[in-house]
Amino acid sequence: MIIGLAGKSCSGKNQIAEMLEFRGFLCIDLDLEVHRLQESMKEILLTNFGDSILDSHGQIDRRALGQIVFKSPPLLKKLEDLLYPKLDESLNRIICDARPGAHIILNAAALQKGEFWKRCDLVIWVSAPWGLRFLRALKRDQRSLLHICRRFRAQKELKSQFFLSRVDTYIIRNGFTRSVLQKRVDSLIKHLPPER
Ligand SMILES: CC(C)(COP(=O)(O)OP(=O)(O)OC[C@H]1O[C@@H](n2cnc3c(N)ncnc32)[C@H](O)[C@@H]1O)[C@@H](O)C(=O)NCCC(=O)NCCS
Ligand SMILES: Nc1ncnc2c1ncn2[C@@H]1O[C@H](COP(=O)(O)OP(=O)(O)OP(=O)(O)O)[C@@H](O)[C@H]1O
């Protein structure tokens, strides 16, 4: 069974993925897969986004790339169009290599973009109030207010309703403590069919 883990930035997807991993589930972090891909796509990224996306060691500087794309929806779309076909190929490999019958959790803020959601038998949508997400982002990422606002704006169209009308969707609200979240995750696990 393939289970999407979606929700806006700092809603708590990584936190939930960690809890699910601790309970033995295989969790794939699409952000991390993208980071791996970006190194192998350096030339094409340089051609499209310029030399300012390189750091002093000649590696892709994701902070710099993020600064460019999160302030320009067409540039973010361009980056997604370059990355998603390769990401799709990586996902095929990961799914193929997984133990047959295992549940695979796809942790992906952008699950509804690039049609990754179409692979999912179930989507877990994580929600948390905007202000709380904003405070969590400031604390976690140490980025400017403006950058976080821009990243949040790039996720305006990401909504639970998208999934609710297309695929089985389970909503987890993460506006309280980690121990409350843990109970909600354990209750979700009880709803899942056993792995084969
Ligand atoms: C813009 C990039 C270089 C910024 O990298 P950086 O290391 O600073 O941030 P990181 O990758 O950890 O992402 C932080 C958060 O930004 C948000 N985010 C990332 N990409 C997107 C996107 N395409 N649309 C909306 N939100 C996004 C997510 O909430 C994500 O968790 C990077 O996020 C990227 O290449 N994004 C485009 C590819 C993509 O869609 N990745 C997400 C796959 S789920
Ligand atoms: N219930 C909670 N109580 C306290 N802190 C939390 C809680 N949930 C998440 N956090 C913290 O908030 C921050 C954001 O959470 P997390 O990284 O899980 O979000 P995310 O949805 O995966 O974000 P992104 O899409 O930006 O990667 C992290 O530092 C995390 O430890």
Side-chain angles (χ1 to χ4, degrees):
M1 183 173 191
I2 300 191
I3 303 171
L5 180 56
K8 296 184 186 230
S9 186
C10 290
S11 53
K13 300 177 295 298
N14 296 326
Q15 190 71 67
I16 291 176
E18 212 176 277
M19 291 171 175
L20 288 169
E21 239 166 10
F22 189 75
R23 298 279 192 248
F25 291 89
L26 170 63
C27 297
I28 312 297
D29 182 337
L30 259 60
D31 281 339
L32 283 185
E33 288 308 315
V34 162
H35 299 170
R36 280 193 200 107
L37 277 175
Q38 277 166 345
E39 277 312 313
S40 63
M41 295 175 66
K42 202 152 92 180
E43 289 312 317
I44 190 149
L45 293 178
L46 282 179
T47 309
N48 281 276
F49 299 98
D51 290 350
S52 67
I53 64 164
L54 286 186
D55 64 17
S56 54
H57 305 289
Q59 310 287 331
I60 301 287
D61 179 351
R62 290 199 311 275
R63 283 173 81 94
L65 181 55
Q67 229 144 20
I68 294 173
V69 297
F70 284 133
K71 71 176 168 206
S72 162
L75 289 179
L76 179 59
K77 174 82 173 59
K78 189 193 239 188
L79 179 61
E80 291 168 353
D81 288 346
L82 290 170
L83 292 170
Y84 288 176
K86 300 265 183 213
L87 188 55
D88 222 37
E89 285 171 19
S90 306
L91 271 181
N92 284 338
R93 268 197 303 277
I94 291 167
I95 292 168
C96 208
D97 291 347
R99 183 176 64 73
H103 293 334
I104 302 173
I105 315 283
L106 295 184
N107 173 7
L111 191 75
Q112 87 179 56
K113 298 183 172 184
E115 306 198 327
F116 298 115
W117 65 273
K118 287 189 175 166
R119 293 173 178 269
C120 299
D121 304 293
L122 171 78
V123 168
I124 303 164
W125 175 266
V126 191
S127 76
W130 186 94
L132 186 56
R133 290 192 297 107
F134 200 84
L135 291 177
R136 286 175 182 164
L138 281 177
K139 188 165 167 207
R140 187 193 66 178
D141 298 336
Q142 312 281 309
R143 305 292 295 258
S144 70
L145 291 173
L146 183 60
H147 179 80
I148 290 169
C149 283
R150 283 178 172 151
R151 191 206 290 162
F152 277 28
R153 201 182 49 201
Q155 301 191 339
K156 240 180 23 206
E157 82 276 22
L158 306 182
K159 293 200 166 85
S160 59
Q161 287 85 338
F162 175 90
F163 297 110
L164 285 162
S165 60
R166 289 169 174 84
V167 59
D168 269 354
T169 303
Y170 187 101
I171 295 183
I172 294 190
R173 295 184 206 286
N174 178 28
F176 299 95
T177 59
R178 286 193 179 87
S179 56
V180 170
L181 182 62
Q182 181 69 67
K183 288 194 184 104
R184 291 179 178 177
V185 169
D186 287 338
S187 154
L188 154 76
I189 293 172
K190 288 192 193 124
H191 277 80
L192 297 178
E195 292 186 316
R196 278 186 281 118

